[in-house]
């Protein structure tokens, strides 16, 4: 079974630039998550999709971050404009259902460096 | 916010059992205990979860106290590949990661 795919794996940009990350979840998984992990901390949930609808985006900085999951499969996370504090690993995960008892499968992440 | 307390780091000798404690004194009746781990430069990986009873799978065992205020994750025969950050999570609605326990397996 193929895992969660993410690209790019690494990205370096200057502050105020824009960046986008892509995620392809495990086939058949209805729920997709984006997490931000700052060095030394646990992952923080940014947004959760159930199919193509948003379930939870309470931690998403909506003034600069946006995410979409068109057709309920792939998803993109965008930052515009980036700030220095956005330097982090951005993790995508997917699961069959939306409750926490559904095991989440994580991708390898995208490491973003904002200079 | 995370509702669990874990030691910042622990050491365990290779081949021995690694026992990782977690305190969750404010756990409510519907909340499960989940464990994930994160190996360096990888995404987190699910290990096990439980509600009241002890649970075992191919990776680990989860021992939950009778009052459910604490639990222990047991890796029965730790190997160098078990070096990782281990997260104990208690929630009813979603997974929220704390800082976890950094487990070092010593050769």
């Amino acid at each position: 079974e193929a895992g969660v795919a993410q690209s790019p794996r690494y990205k370096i940009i200057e502050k105020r630039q824009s960046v986008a990350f892509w995620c392809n979840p495990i086939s058949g998984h209805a729920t997709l998550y984006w997490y931000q992990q700052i060095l030394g901390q646990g992952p923080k949930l940014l947004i959760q999709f159930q199919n193509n609808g948003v379930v939870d985006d309470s931690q998403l900085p909506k003034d600069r971050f946006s995410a979409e999951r068109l057709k309920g499969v792939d998803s993109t996370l965008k930052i515009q404009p980036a700030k220095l504090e956005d330097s982090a690993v951005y993790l995508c995960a997917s699961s069959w259902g939306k409750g926490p008892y559904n095991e989440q499968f994580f991708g390898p992440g995208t490491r973003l460096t904002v200079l | 916010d995370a509702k669990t307390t874990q030691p910042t780091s622990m050491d365990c000798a290779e081949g021995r059992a690694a026992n990782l404690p977690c305190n969750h004194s404010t756990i409510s009746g519907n909340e499960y205990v989940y464990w994930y781990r994160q190996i360096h430069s990888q995404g987190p990986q699910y290990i096990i979860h439980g509600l009241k009873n002890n649970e075992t799978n191919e990776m680990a065992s989860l021992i939950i106290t009778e009052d459910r205020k604490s639990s222990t994750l047991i890796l029965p025969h730790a190997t160098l590949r078990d070096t990782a950050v281990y997260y104990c999570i208690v929630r009813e609605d979603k997974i929220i990661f704390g800082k976890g326990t950094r487990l070092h397996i010593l050769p």
Side-chain angles (χ1 to χ4, degrees):
Chain A
E1 174 180 87
V4 176
Q6 290 188 248
S7 67
R9 290 296 312 277
Y10 304 91
K11 190 72 177 179
I12 300 174
I13 62 172
E14 295 187 350
K15 61 183 179 183
R16 291 189 289 274
Q17 285 187 322
S18 301
V19 65
F21 312 125
W22 173 81
C23 173
N24 180 235
I26 291 173
S27 177
H29 280 191
T31 309
L32 185 147
Y33 313 79
W34 282 102
Y35 289 86
Q36 179 193 58
Q37 186 170 24
I38 293 172
L39 188 64
Q41 299 182 18
K44 182 182 83 170
L45 179 67
L46 292 176
I47 190 167
Q48 177 183 344
F49 292 94
Q50 180 73 12
N51 296 309
N52 60 352
V54 175
V55 173
D56 182 353
D57 64 357
S58 57
Q59 298 292 303
L60 187 73
K62 299 180 185 64
D63 58 335
R64 298 184 300 107
F65 286 64
S66 64
E68 61 182 10
R69 192 184 183 196
L70 300 176
K71 301 180 182 179
V73 181
D74 293 5
S75 177
T76 56
L77 175 70
K78 296 180 182 178
I79 307 175
Q80 181 179 6
K83 293 185 176 181
L84 295 177
E85 58 260 37
D86 297 332
S87 293
V89 175
Y90 290 85
L91 295 159
C92 179
S94 68
S95 64
W96 285 107
K98 67 177 181 179
Y101 42 82
N102 288 281
E103 177 182 349
Q104 293 186 27
F105 295 82
F106 284 79
T110 296
R111 182 177 297 278
L112 174 67
T113 302
V114 182
L115 304 176
Chain B
D1 60 319
K3 299 172 65 173
T4 61
T5 303
Q6 299 178 253
T8 302
S9 65
M10 293 182 61
D11 292 339
C12 178
E14 188 177 18
R16 304 296 295 270
N19 296 283
L20 291 93
C22 180
N23 287 322
H24 32 80
S25 58
T26 61
I27 192 171
S28 64
N30 297 325
E31 291 177 323
Y32 281 74
V33 180
Y34 303 86
W35 284 85
Y36 279 73
R37 75 178 182 182
Q38 188 172 21
I39 295 170
H40 182 63
S41 296
Q42 297 183 20
Q45 174 192 26
Y46 166 85
I47 301 173
I48 198 167
H49 75 275
L51 182 62
K52 296 179 183 178
N53 301 321
N54 298 336
E55 302 288 344
T56 296
N57 62 21
E58 64 278 6
M59 289 183 67
S61 295
L62 175 59
I63 308 299
I64 303 174
T65 58
E66 193 169 342
D67 63 8
R68 303 208 325 122
K69 293 185 177 182
S70 66
S71 61
T72 302
L73 179 75
I74 301 172
L75 308 178
H77 304 286
T79 70
L80 296 177
R81 288 177 295 181
D82 292 321
T83 293
V85 177
Y86 287 77
Y87 299 98
C88 170
I89 299 155
V90 169
R91 287 290 298 218
E92 182 179 2
D93 56 346
K94 58 187 175 183
I95 299 294
I96 295 181
F97 293 89
K99 291 190 175 182
T101 296
R102 186 170 298 275
L103 177 66
H104 301 275
I105 304 300
L106 308 174

